[in-house]
């Protein structure tokens, strides 16, 4: 049952999708920051397939980095929580962190879907936040890498984490922790992938977006 959280809480991917413009309805991440216990829309078989592909790819990268003599830390080993002065907690779980013999840390994230800006944003958030989360990463400049299922990799240099990026993160965190909810912007394209249900978001659009499919557009009498 939906209830207010005891303290504000943000999962890194809510923030990365918002910052990248992948989620334009800011009400959804704002709601999840302030409330918990809400019903979630069921995931479909495709998510199960992506999960299996993700696990396979993660195994391959872990073997590759271990083979190079690097220390490898996976998923639950990497889970972290950091806290803003306001009390808002930000949590995340990088797929894999590798530490080479010189102590250089690289954060890897595996993506089995289509590449998007939020993939890079998510890893940049890990690179920004991990040094605050643990003595292991304190004072270190982390590098990042997004690995796609076709084998392509997008490397992210440590210098990408600069003051401009920090200001951007601050801007979006301020939206999420505000007492005032942002407006909802329902659309078939976005609502169909949103995990909130009509129990909490009555404005959710029921359309399956089929009119957006080429060849399936409604006819007009003009
Ligand atoms: S269902 Fe649609 S309108 Fe409601 S929170 Fe999700 S994206 Fe926004």
């Amino acid at each position: 049952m939906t209830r207010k959280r005891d303290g504000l809480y943000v999962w890194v991917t809510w923030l990365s999708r918002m910052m990248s413009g992948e989620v334009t309805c800011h009400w959804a991440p704002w709601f999840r920051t302030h409330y918990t216990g809400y019903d979630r829309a069921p995931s479909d078989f495709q998510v199960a397939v992506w999960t299996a592909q993700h696990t396979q790819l993660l195994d391959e990268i872990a073997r590759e980095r271990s083979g190079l003599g690097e220390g490898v830390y996976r998923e639950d080993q990497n889970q972290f929580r950091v806290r803003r002065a306001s009390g808002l907690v930000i949590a995340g779980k990088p797929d894999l962190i590798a530490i080479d013999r010189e102590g250089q840390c690289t954060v890897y994230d595996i993506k089995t879907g289509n590449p998007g800006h939020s993939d890079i944003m998510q890893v940049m958030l890990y690179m920004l936040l991990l040094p605050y989360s643990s003595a292991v990463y304190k004072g270190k400049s982390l590098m990042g890498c997004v690995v796609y299922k076709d084998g392509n990799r997008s490397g992210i240099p440590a210098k990408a984490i600069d003051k401009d990026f920090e200001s951007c993160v601050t801007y979006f965190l301020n939206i999420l922790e505000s007492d005032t909810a942002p407006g909802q912007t329902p659309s078939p394209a976005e609502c169909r992938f949103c995990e909130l249900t009509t129990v909490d978001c009555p404005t959710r659009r029921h359309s399956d977006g089929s009119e957006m499919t080429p060849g399936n557009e409604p006819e007009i009498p003009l």
Side-chain angles (χ1 to χ4, degrees), residues 23-29 31 183-198 200-205:
V23 165
T24 58
C25 180
H26 291 176
W27 192 86
F31 178 83
Q184 291 164 323
T185 54
S187 66
E190 197 159 320
C191 292
R192 64 198 287 215
F193 294 112
C194 180
E195 70 168 358
L196 300 181
T197 68
T198 50
D200 296 299
C201 178
T203 59
R204 182 181 178 118
R205 294 277 292 268

Side-chain angles (χ1 to χ4, degrees), residues 90-107:
I90 310 164
K93 188 164 69 172
D95 283 339
L96 189 146
I97 301 175
I99 307 179
D100 70 15
R101 291 196 178 96
E102 282 72 48
Q104 176 63 56
C105 306
T106 304
V107 185

